[in-house]
Amino acid sequence: MSLYLINYWVAIALLLIGLYIVMSREHLIKKVVGLSIFQTAVFIMYISMGKVFGGSPPIVSEEFSVYSNPLPHVLILTAIVVGVATTAVGLALAVRIREAYGTLNEDDILKIHDEDAT
Amino acid sequence: MTETAVFAVNLALLAMLLVTAVGILKLYNLFAVVMVSGMYSLLCAAFFVLMDAVDVAFTEAAVGAGLSTVLMLAALALTRPNRKDGDHKALNIPAKIVTFVVGLLLFWISMDFPGFGDPLAPVNQHLAPQFLTEGPEKTTVPNVVTVVLASYRGYDTLGETVVVFTAAVSVLCLLGVLRGNAPVRSKTTEADEEEFQEFNSQIILRVITKYLTPFILLFALYVQFHGDYGPGGGFQAGVIFAAGLILYGMVYGIDRLRDVVGQKHRVPLRLAGLGVLLYAGVGVASLMLGGNFLDYNVLAEDPRQGQHLGILLVEFGVGLTVTNVMILVFLTLAGRGYRDGVTSGPMSLSAELQDVEDLQNEKEAKPS
């Protein structure tokens, strides 16, 4: 068991915290925050994989010969911007739910929904 | 930095990340949750710098710590009452079991991962060395992240840009472009006016914003057009440009921002689509000139210059779309429920103050 796996373990721990928030908390905006923690956990895992000891950022220059891996950086860079765009959609949905049901607590929403159905 | 030093800083940052994440889990006051999640994003950005991912750190600092915090505050302000969080009583134990099992499985898988920072790890073989040696030679662009983003993975980035654009369209569909049918926020009368007057006296904030905004916009342009030589590019520049305008809108009021971007959001609505069109147009242009879709070699006599030109154009398209999507999303979220002319004060300030008051009241009510 290598200590150098600790980055991945922390990423896993963050992912679990995000997952737990999404499942166990009832306020929808808190769930959105939980989702974004889940997301950053994946980012941390990817970026950790691309790190090379002794490497420099992947901007090529004659003074350096070792660089960290640019591929995870590209994937995560776009993922972050797409992430904020989807967060915005989530928040817009939350605002509409609040206007329709008068609350953002999931239990209350489900209760109102069930009452409407019967 | 030596290997040990990097690893020590790495450990410290990871520990802080864990603490903030647990803090978010434990907090029930949603205003506090949003602010701590901003801190969490800033820590993430610091971590990415340590991992040599400067472009990613740039994006995370602008997006996570800046924009998404603002968007969440705007959403909180719109959903004011009932904003206390609670637990699912029934789901508490099943959620714990699921989390535990998933954690166990992931931990088991992580045993097979190559060590952190290992240059011989499979992920650092194959494609990465090819990108690093061949990319700058073929395109005259030294920032390999930009090369891979705009050229090698040009299709993928076009897709991402379309996703960002689609997100803006979804937000507009959900919340309405023209706020004709939007419900008027209940408390936009005397209290808000009073608060606005109070805010008017905060001269330092207003003056600093006025001086800062042009520099933020200038910096965004630098990041946009220098992205091929240093960290930066369309995504980062777009977010920073939008952040400059959003800062102005937050301090001087949504209506003043609307004066800049046009009533009914005319300018950003059109420019957001134009960015995607520009990106795809570069692809069509390269088709017309006899190459493949998004193959920039044919754009100039010298294929290397063609690549460079193509990358610059495509990044500009990305920047246009991202800027205008972010401004649109902010305006629709923060501007919803405001009547024209009645409230031009800072958004959500009262909600935040109310939250702090609630927290204090709660503490006083429960001395134990």
Side-chain angles (χ1 to χ4, degrees):
Chain A
M1 214 188 271
S2 156
L3 190 65
Y4 279 5
L5 287 178
I6 202 155
N7 275 42
Y8 306 125
W9 294 339
V10 173
I12 291 170
L14 291 173
L15 187 131
L16 294 178
I17 291 173
L19 183 68
Y20 185 68
I21 290 177
V22 173
M23 286 192 294
S24 72
R25 297 297 186 255
E26 54 167 14
H27 198 282
L28 293 181
I29 290 184
K30 179 87 173 250
K31 281 179 194 279
V32 173
V33 175
L35 270 182
S36 67
I37 291 181
F38 189 99
Q39 206 176 18
T40 45
V42 179
F43 299 164
I44 287 170
M45 180 166 275
Y46 263 68
I47 298 293
S48 297
M49 279 181 191
K51 169 72 180 168
V52 174
F53 274 133
S56 68
I59 298 170
V60 174
S61 146
E62 283 172 3
E63 291 161 45
F64 299 98
S65 56
V66 184
Y67 302 99
S68 287
N69 190 346
L71 191 54
H73 300 184
V74 176
L75 302 178
I76 298 312
L77 194 158
T78 49
I80 290 176
V81 179
V82 171
V84 73
T86 46
T87 302
V89 177
L91 293 175
L93 278 171
V95 168
R96 285 306 295 266
I97 290 171
R98 167 76 175 73
E99 282 167 8
Y101 290 90
T103 174
L104 269 180
N105 288 28
E106 205 180 27
D107 286 346
D108 299 345
I109 295 169
L110 287 175
K111 210 185 286 167
I112 295 169
H113 193 75
D114 289 343
E115 277 166 16
D116 285 354
T118 52
Chain B
M1 270 202 287
T2 63
E3 201 172 303
T4 346
V6 170
F7 198 67
V9 180
N10 174 42
L11 283 185
L13 282 174
L14 289 177
M16 286 195 267
L17 275 171
L18 266 182
V19 171
T20 27
V22 172
I24 293 171
L25 174 71
K26 291 285 173 198
L27 281 168
Y28 286 93
N29 179 294
L30 285 163
F31 175 59
V33 166
V34 170
M35 293 324 279
V36 175
S37 82
M39 279 162 54
Y40 175 86
S41 288
L42 207 58
L43 281 172
C44 268
F47 172 79
F48 293 151
V49 174
L50 188 75
M51 298 289 113
D52 297 335
V54 279
D55 285 273
V56 183
F58 218 142
T59 321
E60 178 69 36
V63 168
L67 259 183
S68 57
T69 312
V70 170
L71 293 183
M72 294 220 184
L73 284 180
L76 271 190
L78 277 178
T79 56
R80 266 179 75 183
N82 294 326
R83 62 189 177 282
K84 283 278 174 291
D85 185 25
D87 286 328
H88 274 302
K89 293 284 180 297
L91 270 178
N92 217 342
I93 290 162
K96 276 183 181 139
I97 294 172
V98 170
T99 313
F100 183 74
V101 172
V102 172
L104 217 58
L105 283 174
L106 288 174
F107 183 74
W108 181 45
I109 293 166
S110 78
M111 289 297 152
D112 288 339
F113 275 35
F116 166 72
D118 183 2
L120 297 176
V123 68
N124 296 330
Q125 304 300 313
H126 313 295
L127 272 176
Q130 192 196 339
F131 286 150
L132 281 165
T133 50
E134 193 192 271
E137 271 171 32
K138 282 193 170 172
T139 59
T140 70
V141 172
N143 185 353
V144 183
V145 175
T146 306
V147 176
V148 179
L149 181 92
S151 186
Y152 282 104
R153 297 183 61 84
Y155 275 48
D156 182 47
T157 309
L158 176 60
E160 308 269 16
T161 316
V162 174
V163 169
V164 172
F165 179 70
T166 315
V169 173
S170 318
V171 171
L172 288 174
C173 288
L174 282 166
L175 297 184
V177 189
L178 323 167
R179 297 151 305 113
N181 53 355
V184 173
R185 219 172 64 155
S186 51
K187 292 182 183 172
T188 52
T189 47
E190 278 178 26
D192 278 13
E193 272 297 291
E194 213 170 85
E195 177 193 308
F196 182 48
Q197 294 304 330
E198 196 177 295
F199 188 75
N200 260 337
S201 62
Q202 300 206 356
I203 189 102
I204 294 177
L205 205 52
R206 295 172 73 88
V207 169
I208 287 183
T209 304
K210 202 154 220 172
Y211 280 111
L212 216 52
T213 308
F215 288 108
I216 295 176
L217 300 186
L218 193 64
F219 180 61
L221 290 178
Y222 167 78
V223 171
Q224 171 79 56
F225 293 109
H226 201 258
D228 37 355
Y229 296 107
F235 285 104
Q236 295 93 323
V239 175
I240 294 170
F241 201 90
L245 289 177
I246 287 171
L247 173 71
Y248 182 77
M250 277 169 69
V251 172
Y252 283 90
I254 308 279
D255 284 336
R256 291 284 290 272
L257 183 57
R258 286 219 177 93
D259 290 343
V260 177
V261 300
Q263 296 296 331
K264 320 251 188 240
H265 315 158
R266 201 172 285 128
V267 179
L269 268 177
R270 280 158 184 68
L271 287 183
L274 192 70
V276 179
L277 272 183
L278 177 63
Y279 198 136
V282 174
V284 174
S286 52
L287 270 182
M288 295 293 184
L289 290 167
N292 289 322
F293 189 68
L294 291 177
D295 169 15
Y296 315 135
N297 280 342
V298 292
L299 290 179
E301 297 249 317
D302 179 5
R304 299 169 59 200
Q305 294 304 324
Q307 284 285 347
H308 202 150
L309 178 68
I311 289 174
L312 272 181
L313 284 174
V314 159
E315 288 272 15
F316 185 58
V318 171
L320 263 184
T321 299
V322 172
T323 308
N324 292 292
V325 164
M326 296 304 162
I327 292 172
L328 272 179
V329 167
F330 171 76
L331 280 176
T332 22
L333 264 179
R336 187 174 179 81
Y338 279 98
R339 276 173 304 182
D340 290 292
V342 173
T343 311
S344 43
M347 58 153 225
S348 77
L349 200 70
S350 58
E352 288 155 25
L353 294 175
Q354 187 62 43
D355 254 340
V356 176
E357 262 169 42
D358 284 356
L359 193 69
Q360 280 165 352
N361 291 344
E362 217 169 81
K363 268 185 192 161
E364 280 162 20
K366 277 190 281 181
S368 58

